Amino acid sequence: MALEERPSVCTLDCPDTCSLTVTVDDGRIVKVRGSEALPYTAGVICNKVAQDTPAFVHGPQRLTHPLRRTGPKGSGSFARISWSDALDEIHARVTAVIERWGPQAVAPLNYAGPHGFLANDSMSARFLHKLGASQLFRRSLCGGVRSEAWAGTYGAVPGCAPELAEHAKLNVAWGNNATVSNLHLVRCIRIAKRKGGKLVVVDPLRTKIAQQADLHLAIRPGTDTVLAWALATELERLGVLDQKFIAAHVHGFEPFMARARAWPAARAAETCGVPATEIETFARWLADADPLVFGTGNGLERSRYGGSGIRAAIALPALLGKLGRGSGIVLGAGNAFAKTPAKLQRPDLAPPGTRTLNLCDMGRHLADDDLDPPLRALFLYNHNPIVVHPDQNRMRRGLAREDIFMVGLDVSMTESMAHCDIVLPGATHFEYPDLYPAYGHHWLQRAEPVIAPIGEALPNTEIFRQLAARFGFTEPCLRATDAELMDDAVDPTDPRLKGVRPSQIPTDRAVPMSAPDGRPPMLFENVFPATPSGKVELESETLAKRWGAHALLPDWQAHPAEHPLRLISPASDRRISSTLGGLEDSRAAPPLLMHPRDAAARGLKSGADVKLWNGHGEVVLPLIVTDAIAPGVVASEKGAWLSTSRTGQTISALVSADIQGDLALGACFNDTDVEVSAA
């Protein structure tokens, strides 16, 4: 059979949401490369997707048939069953739970594996709402802190397009491991540097993007608020704040600066662990740069004061009046899309008073049985909680309970799937149609399947349609086709679609989500703050009402540490979160990076196995001694599966789920104190 090239979209957890060209040979994917359908992709994709997709789709780890557990939870002992038997057992056991405990004893345990509108949560949400199951606040695990900080400061509007970075005189990558997880922003930054622009990187680790920086501030994790305050104070000392812009467009300037002025460069340097001269240089470059582009990343949000750090950092362009005219902040891209989530997910189907649980608390709820009614049935999909949740060992104890019935949907047998009673084979994003927004750019894309589902695998939408039918639900919305779901996901009347229904968007070109004037969104040109005051809110009553009085202004306080080292967990160039972790190339334990001073103090050398531990768990990892990591900090990549570990634990075991951020109850992966010793 002749090779065929078919358009597709990468749905994995990355802000770039790339357009793809997939080469298919006799029903098998043999090659994947970037396409030009999305101009931002421009034919370039990451090595992970380019190299590992065939194995991800067709490898031996792929689930292709429904399974029933036959051994203890977590043992991986399963027997093949039919779809009919699987649906019958799910119906019988979930119905028994509802009859005994009520529908809120059932809950989803899902996050955002595939990022398409349909696979992420469409028919699944409708089914669970109709069932009356407990609901989840999911954004606490990742992204919620960033979204709340942005919306509280600028409102639910899009920041600038990442393409703007190509023209910046100064690009700032703050807490953004961009080379690994924001590849196309790096390309834009490199173009700017070739034109003479500068790059500043703020990160405790000298990442690949930091190696290319003109200035790298290797601050201590979680001190971002202090650094931003110091920069604001230094900019005021230099007399470069745009007082006219502030008077017209900034709310809360004086209370914000009252806190900032307590942190001049010299004091902040001691707390942040960087020389005062670097803070002063950064401030001068901010003052001189026109245009200026900020690209903040997820690493910035993963501490107690992550929301404060983001708010203080994104305040700096406003204080300088550098918004518009080529200057901007690469955040809030999801607000560029005309999403209609209530129409897609139908929360109106849920009974009044249905409770909402914090996703980051699910390990405790399962292990400690601290809810009334208790959780007795779970639908686990688009998620690998054992690997990615804080407090891994508590989550494992919860999932190991024999009195909790668990249904799992996935494309491979993860450690989490191994705890399920019934496992249903899900389709990969190459095997179903979907509609794709992005959280890192302003282009809407659609994809059709490039191959048929493998074995008996089914898309999430079809699985939950069949479940709805088996439970006897007759509402038309629970029988909606994928095309109808697409048309429910995005407002079909949005003028940017030019009369084309979302389900009919061409698959060979992306649709730009422009501002009303037809140009890319640009704050203070064609987009303006959507806050209650209509201004940039450095002081936010909205955030204070949502998250407590402490959230009125950015804040920071020192906290005592039980152990002397702080663990951070950057993204991997071999995995996307935990996706692809089941492939052969990803089964080696990620190393632990440690500064020479810290290694010498403990008598440790590169190449040795070391024990990384605290009161939550312990992990054995190979050590790399390097000055790429700041003193007092250690780093190991996130997303490794348990199979990489000889202790049966990975670094998620060391993270407390009970420490939560200042906004959105955020998980504090980078607020993890540890010690390291010889293994």
Side-chain angles (χ1 to χ4, degrees):
M1 181 176 179
L3 298 179
E4 294 185 60
E5 291 189 342
R6 298 170 182 171
S8 191
V9 177
C10 182
T11 184
L12 302 180
D13 188 2
C14 167
D16 290 21
T17 313
C18 296
S19 62
L20 305 175
T21 295
V22 181
T23 304
V24 177
D25 182 10
D26 195 24
R28 293 180 63 89
I29 293 173
V30 295
K31 184 178 180 180
V32 177
R33 67 182 193 276
S35 82
E36 305 288 339
L38 171 62
Y40 186 53
T41 299
V44 177
I45 58 172
C46 68
N47 289 334
K48 292 172 282 193
V49 172
Q51 295 176 2
D52 293 338
T53 292
F56 172 66
V57 175
H58 302 288
Q61 82 292 337
R62 183 72 193 272
L63 291 169
T64 57
H65 307 283
L67 302 170
R68 177 189 289 121
R69 181 171 60 87
T70 58
K73 287 196 171 186
S75 67
S77 179
F78 289 89
R80 179 176 171 178
I81 58 174
S82 68
W83 268 103
S84 177
D85 287 347
L87 295 172
D88 285 348
E89 184 162 343
I90 293 167
H91 175 256
R93 296 190 63 175
V94 170
T95 299
V97 166
I98 292 173
E99 289 174 349
R100 171 66 179 85
W101 301 101
Q104 293 188 93
V106 184
L109 183 52
N110 70 306
Y111 184 57
H115 276 238
F117 276 116
L118 273 58
N120 184 32
D121 231 356
S122 59
M123 190 59 70
S124 51
R126 294 181 179 191
F127 167 76
L128 290 162
H129 282 136
K130 173 62 180 176
L131 194 68
S134 295
Q135 298 302 303
L136 285 182
F137 175 67
R138 299 174 180 84
R139 297 193 306 151
S140 57
L141 187 62
C142 182
V145 175
R146 179 183 69 245
S147 297
E148 288 292 304
W150 174 258
T153 307
Y154 290 94
V157 295
C160 73
E163 294 94 329
L164 211 64
E166 292 185 14
H167 310 291
K169 293 299 183 183
L170 177 64
N171 275 295
V172 178
W174 198 321
N176 189 348
N177 188 8
T179 312
V180 172
S181 56
N182 205 175
L183 178 64
H184 296 85
L185 180 63
V186 175
R187 184 188 61 199
C188 295
I189 290 171
R190 287 174 177 165
I191 292 172
K193 283 179 66 65
R194 288 198 294 270
K195 296 177 181 177
K198 290 187 174 71
L199 169 64
V200 173
V201 172
V202 181
D203 200 302
L205 177 65
R206 191 169 67 238
T207 57
K208 290 182 180 179
I209 188 65
Q211 292 172 11
Q212 302 169 40
D214 299 281
L215 178 64
H216 171 213
L217 287 84
I219 66 170
R220 293 191 178 104
T223 62
D224 307 272
T225 310
V226 174
L227 174 59
W229 277 340
L231 290 166
T233 299
E234 182 65 12
L235 291 168
E236 185 178 53
R237 188 189 70 80
L238 293 171
V240 296
L241 298 186
D242 189 332
Q243 297 296 343
K244 184 177 180 181
F245 184 90
I246 290 168
H249 300 297
V250 175
H251 171 78
F253 170 74
E254 280 300 334
F256 177 89
M257 289 305 300
R259 294 192 174 188
R261 291 176 190 128
W263 292 93
R267 183 186 179 202
E270 185 176 347
T271 295
C272 296
V274 297
T277 55
E278 292 187 357
I279 298 175
E280 293 163 354
T281 298
F282 190 3
R284 287 196 305 273
W285 290 5
L286 288 170
D288 294 342
D290 189 13
L292 166 68
V293 173
F294 266 59
T296 57
N298 287 357
L300 189 53
E301 74 174 11
R302 292 171 177 162
S303 66
R304 286 178 175 89
Y305 296 104
S308 293
I310 297 170
R311 292 169 69 189
I314 63 178
L316 297 172
L319 296 178
L320 290 165
K322 294 184 177 181
L323 291 167
R325 304 180 309 280
S327 294
I329 305 166
V330 184
L331 262 181
N335 298 317
F337 302 89
K339 300 176 182 178
T340 49
K343 189 176 179 183
L344 177 64
Q345 299 178 355
R346 298 296 304 272
D348 58 295
L349 295 172
T354 299
R355 68 186 177 188
T356 297
L357 307 174
N358 179 8
L359 178 60
C360 288
D361 292 338
M362 288 296 281
R364 186 184 80 241
H365 295 326
L366 294 169
D368 299 347
D369 220 16
D370 61 354
L371 293 174
D372 183 17
L375 294 175
R376 288 295 180 265
L378 294 177
F379 287 86
L380 200 168
Y381 60 101
N382 296 349
H383 198 25
N384 188 2
I386 284 179
V387 170
V388 303
H389 268 244
D391 213 333
Q392 182 178 84
N393 289 323
R394 185 161 69 182
M395 176 60 74
R396 291 174 72 181
R397 290 195 301 273
L399 296 183
R401 291 182 52 164
E402 291 287 345
D403 58 346
I404 299 177
F405 175 64
M406 289 178 54
V407 180
L409 292 70
D410 212 320
V411 300
S412 60
M413 182 61 73
T414 67
E415 292 95 342
S416 302
M417 285 294 107
H419 288 74
C420 293
D421 298 279
I422 299 292
V423 173
L424 304 177
T428 72
H429 55 284
F430 297 104
E431 300 161 24
Y432 56 77
D434 213 330
L435 187 66
Y436 298 97
Y439 66 91
H441 61 69
H442 302 159
W443 299 82
L444 180 65
Q445 301 177 85
R446 188 176 72 86
E448 286 292 322
V450 299
I451 59 171
I454 304 297
E456 296 181 27
L458 292 175
N460 283 5
T461 51
E462 180 58 24
I463 291 173
F464 282 98
R465 272 191 212 98
Q466 294 196 18
L467 283 167
R470 186 62 189 83
F471 276 75
F473 300 154
T474 58
E475 287 82 353
C477 69
L478 292 166
R479 299 193 300 271
T481 65
D482 287 349
E484 290 170 331
L485 290 171
M486 289 185 199
D487 292 339
D488 286 342
V490 172
D491 181 2
T493 67
D494 188 278
R496 294 170 295 185
L497 300 186
K498 299 179 180 179
V500 178
R501 300 190 69 80
S503 59
Q504 298 301 312
I505 290 173
T507 59
D508 60 351
R509 63 181 183 274
V511 178
M513 296 290 101
S514 57
D517 63 1
R519 296 185 299 147
M522 176 67 72
L523 273 165
F524 291 97
E525 287 189 9
N526 52 21
V527 173
F528 294 88
T531 57
S533 67
K535 298 182 178 183
V536 180
E537 295 198 350
L538 308 188
E539 182 181 58
S540 174
E541 292 284 352
T542 300
L543 294 178
K545 290 177 182 177
R546 283 177 61 82
W547 306 111
H550 67 273
L552 182 66
L553 287 159
D555 195 12
W556 186 86
Q557 296 179 36
H559 283 266
E562 295 184 17
H563 302 284
L565 299 171
R566 179 69 65 87
L567 171 67
I568 63 172
S569 48
S572 169
D573 62 359
R574 307 175 83 176
R575 295 175 299 279
I576 302 172
S577 295
S578 71
T579 306
L580 308 179
L583 303 182
E584 188 66 36
D585 288 346
S586 296
R587 291 178 184 168
L592 181 73
L593 308 184
M594 176 182 278
H595 191 273
R597 188 182 73 187
D598 296 323
R602 293 163 176 78
L604 303 174
K605 295 183 179 180
S606 277
D609 283 349
V610 296
K611 181 173 71 172
L612 178 69
W613 55 274
N614 61 18
H616 295 281
E618 63 178 49
V619 183
V620 173
L621 297 171
L623 179 66
I624 293 178
V625 178
T626 173
D627 64 1
I629 190 72
V633 185
V634 291
S636 188
E637 294 173 347
K638 68 174 183 176
W641 286 25
L642 302 186
S643 57
T644 67
S645 169
R646 79 188 207 196
T647 64
Q649 303 172 47
T650 62
I651 57 172
S652 292
L654 309 175
V655 181
S656 172
D658 298 325
I659 299 174
Q660 296 180 347
D662 54 349
L663 298 180
L665 308 173
C668 295
F669 291 96
N670 291 345
D671 246 319
T672 301
D673 300 325
V674 297
E675 182 53 285
V676 179
S677 56

